[in-house]
Amino acid sequence: MISRRDFLQAGMAASALVGASGFGNWSRLAAQQALTQDQLLQFDTFGNVSLIHITDIHAQLKPIYFREPEINLGVGDNKGHVPHITGADFRKLHGIEDGSPSAYALTYNDFTALAKTYGRMGGMDRVATVVNAIRAERPDALLLDGGDTWHGSYTCYHTQGQDVVNVMNALKPDAMTFHWEFTLGTERIRELVQGLPFAALGANIFDAEWDEPSEDFKPYEMFERGGVKIAVIGQAFPYMPIANPGWMFPEYSFGIRDQRMQEIVDEVRAAGAELVVCLSHNGFDVDKQMASRVTGIDVILTGHTHDALPEPVLVGETILIASGSNGKFVSRVDLDVRDGRMMGFRHKLIPIFSDVIAPDTAVAAVIDEQRAPYMDQLTEVIGQADTLLYRRGNFNGTWDDLICDALISEREADIAMSPGVRWGPSILPGQDITREDIHNVTSMTYGKAYRTEMTGEFLNVILEDVGDNLFNTDPYYQQGGDMVRVGGLGYRIDISKPMGQRISEMTLLKTGEAIDPAQTYVVAGWASVNEGTEGPQIWDVVEDYIRKQGTVTVAPNTSVQVVGA
């Protein structure tokens, strides 16, 4: 008698074959100039239930370039495991050929050359085409949005998320959960959520005053698809008031709430759920740990950390699906559910090559309608890029180096600090930099660029604190994004050390002198979580700087020495 775990492992093998076949074929097809939409969408329909997962769109409605991280370090039990494998190691693990379309989509090497070969990725009109194709094969497939959707662009900022809401409504999701959406503020998110034609989920979203589940968000939604009763449980980003300004949404509290999740899983099972899906914005390592502590979840559709994995990860009897970011990928998961149990599955991470996948005309029309009032502002050329501008990686990206250079120059500072956020498309060398491009890496509701004084001791405290958010060996204490980016400041970090012992050799780059703990330095930054922050908007600071430069060149950043990895 084959056990359920053996069924799951057989499903994993089948899933890996489907994923490997898709990725392996891309390079051969591209060599034959035969990369087609039909081949990208090819899938051997399996079982009786289909899930479609998208996450971390960050308001990117049009096709973009997006370079995956070069450095994504894991610590503790996650060291050396996906998603903490990049570049050549990632390609070797997944059998991806150098220079292939999948190498371009999933790794950073030769990004500029491969981008010129394979073009932009994403675009919600192309995503719509993929979703519609899956629905044509499996009409009752569930489309689930993992959050970070209503944030991250010029038009999203100026419409308070309405542009993205209108586009997503045209795709007809069945449910979503949340993170950056809350930075629109309580009043606005309530207004938008109340108008959604689909389920707004967050089992871990509580009323802060009464410490009870919030009435604004359902903990789960029950669906019947393919003759199967399915529970989709929402898990919003658990660290909202730490990573983002709590004063913008004081009515809510969050947290991982393992016990609450277990109670909800038990409740839906008791109500007859045969398949339990967690639509999560925890981040991959946090979801791995939650899967090891909470029993009864069949599938976790994970988000927040922007990981794109061509094969699922199995934790006990739970499978984790990671679907990338910025509209680059759509995940399809087919499951065989019989007699109240998941007996196997197949999965494919579908790349959205915008030159290959045809846009859905109806959704394209909605996108154009949202953008039309702003086109003059969006398309104004501010300067040109002489080097690749990208964001992602634990310590720096050239976009953030450019932002730090702008802060030091325009705000007359010794040191600059830029938040370690993961969102923001890339710009190729030789490409124009438009106002839209600048907003794609800076747009937020608390983007004022402050100028203040900090002692060397306080700078060390900041670096230690953010470093612990990133490199604490317990995933539940990893409460932010990547490492805060710094300009004008060099340092050494030993990621293997405990809190308070990671940062050393702090240096003021303009003098080469060691940072004096007692000395005061002028520091410019942005995205402070403190209420009442004063200063110009960061996008105006960056725009002014780029205009003065004309053509922007960003030198390689060697100011951070990483050891202990």
Side-chain angles (χ1 to χ4, degrees), residues 189-515:
I189 195 171
R190 279 178 172 162
E191 179 184 10
L192 290 174
V193 164
Q194 288 168 4
L196 292 178
F198 52 85
L201 303 180
N204 62 328
I205 306 174
F206 273 46
D207 181 289
E209 181 178 1
W210 298 102
D211 194 32
E212 294 177 348
S214 171
E215 295 181 356
D216 297 326
F217 301 88
K218 298 178 69 172
Y220 63 87
E221 185 79 356
M222 298 291 283
F223 300 91
E224 186 159 337
R225 303 294 169 94
V228 176
K229 197 168 185 179
I230 304 166
V232 177
I233 304 172
Q235 175 80 355
F237 180 58
Y239 303 117
M240 286 298 311
I242 298 172
N244 304 97
W247 57 267
M248 289 185 160
F249 38 86
E251 294 82 0
Y252 301 112
S253 67
F254 301 85
I256 297 172
R257 303 185 189 270
D258 280 348
Q259 182 177 347
R260 163 76 170 166
M261 179 60 71
Q262 187 65 69
E263 291 170 354
I264 294 295
V265 171
D266 294 344
E267 178 180 327
V268 299
R269 289 289 187 188
E274 300 165 275
L275 180 73
V276 177
V277 178
C278 179
L279 180 61
S280 173
H281 205 88
N282 277 339
F284 196 88
D285 290 350
V286 175
D287 276 326
K288 279 180 66 178
Q289 184 148 307
M290 186 177 73
S292 72
R293 296 184 177 190
V294 178
T295 61
I297 302 175
D298 295 301
V299 181
I300 298 179
L301 302 173
T302 184
H304 176 59
T305 39
H306 291 200
D307 310 298
L309 297 180
E311 298 175 22
V313 170
L314 184 65
V315 179
E317 296 185 345
T318 303
I319 59 171
L320 272 66
I321 306 294
S323 305
S325 68
N326 288 268
K328 282 183 67 177
F329 302 96
V330 172
S331 282
R332 175 177 176 176
V333 190
D334 279 17
L335 304 113
D336 179 17
V337 182
R338 285 178 281 143
D339 301 323
R341 299 195 307 171
M342 182 176 70
M343 308 300 286
F345 64 90
R346 287 181 183 162
H347 158 269
K348 188 172 184 180
L349 182 70
I350 302 169
I352 310 300
F353 288 101
S354 63
D355 292 339
V356 177
I357 295 175
D360 176 84
T361 55
V363 173
V366 177
I367 293 171
D368 291 344
E369 181 184 3
Q370 309 309 306
R371 291 168 57 83
Y374 307 97
M375 285 306 294
D376 289 345
Q377 298 96 317
L378 292 170
T379 57
E380 183 175 346
V381 175
I382 310 302
Q384 287 77 38
D386 190 47
T387 49
L388 174 66
L389 299 179
Y390 64 89
R391 172 182 280 160
R392 267 315 309 269
N394 290 152
F395 295 99
N396 71 285
T398 48
W399 254 127
D400 289 307
D401 293 337
L402 173 57
I403 291 170
C404 286
D405 289 345
L407 285 165
I408 289 173
S409 176
E410 298 297 309
R411 302 292 280 153
E412 298 180 345
D414 301 316
I415 293 167
M417 307 184 80
S418 186
V421 295
R422 301 182 179 94
W423 43 271
S426 306
I427 302 293
L428 303 185
Q431 193 177 337
D432 286 339
I433 303 172
T434 65
R435 180 171 291 117
E436 179 173 27
D437 295 326
I438 294 170
H439 276 259
N440 281 345
V441 293
T442 58
S443 185
M444 62 167 65
T445 54
Y446 54 103
K448 290 188 175 179
Y450 60 83
R451 185 179 186 272
T452 189
E453 293 184 347
M454 297 181 185
T455 64
E457 181 182 17
F458 189 61
L459 286 165
N460 179 268
V461 169
I462 291 173
L463 293 177
E464 286 281 4
D465 185 53
V466 180
D468 197 59
N469 276 345
L470 184 59
F471 296 117
N472 193 300
T473 54
D474 184 343
Y476 279 14
Y477 287 91
Q478 296 172 8
Q479 299 168 346
D482 285 316
M483 190 65 180
V484 61
R485 280 65 162 114
V486 293
L489 174 69
Y491 64 93
R492 181 179 187 268
I493 180 169
D494 187 338
I495 71 169
S496 67
K497 297 292 186 182
M499 174 72 169
Q501 299 179 30
R502 292 188 179 96
I503 306 298
S504 62
E505 299 179 24
M506 294 172 61
T507 305
L508 185 65
L509 296 181
K510 70 179 181 180
T511 65
E513 297 175 353
I515 294 290

Side-chain angles (χ1 to χ4, degrees), residues 22-198:
F23 281 91
N25 281 342
W26 298 352
S27 55
R28 290 189 290 275
L29 295 168
Q32 301 164 13
Q33 301 300 310
L35 189 62
T36 69
Q37 176 174 304
D38 287 344
Q39 286 152 335
L40 291 177
L41 297 179
Q42 182 183 6
F43 193 99
D44 293 329
T45 300
F46 175 79
N48 49 353
V49 172
S50 289
L51 307 177
I52 309 169
H53 183 227
I54 54 176
T55 190
D56 296 278
I57 301 297
H58 286 287
Q60 296 306 308
L61 304 180
K62 303 290 282 186
I64 48 97
Y65 297 109
F66 186 83
R67 178 187 185 268
E68 297 296 330
E70 180 174 349
I71 299 175
N72 185 359
L73 300 175
V75 292
D77 293 340
N78 292 308
K79 183 176 181 179
H81 296 285
V82 294
H84 306 290
I85 300 173
T86 64
D89 292 335
F90 186 97
R91 295 194 298 277
K92 181 178 180 181
L93 176 67
H94 295 290
I96 297 171
E97 298 180 29
D98 292 356
S100 66
S102 51
Y104 165 58
L106 288 162
T107 60
Y108 68 91
N109 307 91
D110 302 318
F111 180 81
T112 297
L114 294 177
K116 292 176 180 178
T117 299
Y118 297 117
R120 288 177 169 84
M121 298 192 71
M124 296 311 294
D125 49 2
R126 276 80 167 177
V127 169
T129 296
V130 172
V131 170
N132 291 338
I134 297 171
R135 284 171 167 162
E137 294 181 7
R138 186 64 65 74
D140 57 357
L142 284 175
L143 173 58
L144 304 172
D145 176 2
D148 274 1
T149 307
W150 314 336
H151 160 271
S153 73
Y154 184 97
T155 54
C156 187
Y157 176 82
H158 283 278
T159 65
Q160 293 185 288
Q162 193 66 55
D163 66 323
V164 191
V165 171
N166 293 342
V167 171
M168 292 304 297
N169 285 351
L171 269 71
K172 298 181 172 61
D174 294 285
M176 75 175 290
T177 194
F178 304 88
H179 172 199
W180 275 91
E181 289 81 4
F182 279 95
T183 64
L184 293 169
T186 297
E187 183 177 349
R188 180 57 173 161
I189 195 171
R190 279 178 172 162
E191 179 184 10
L192 290 174
V193 164
Q194 288 168 4
L196 292 178
F198 52 85

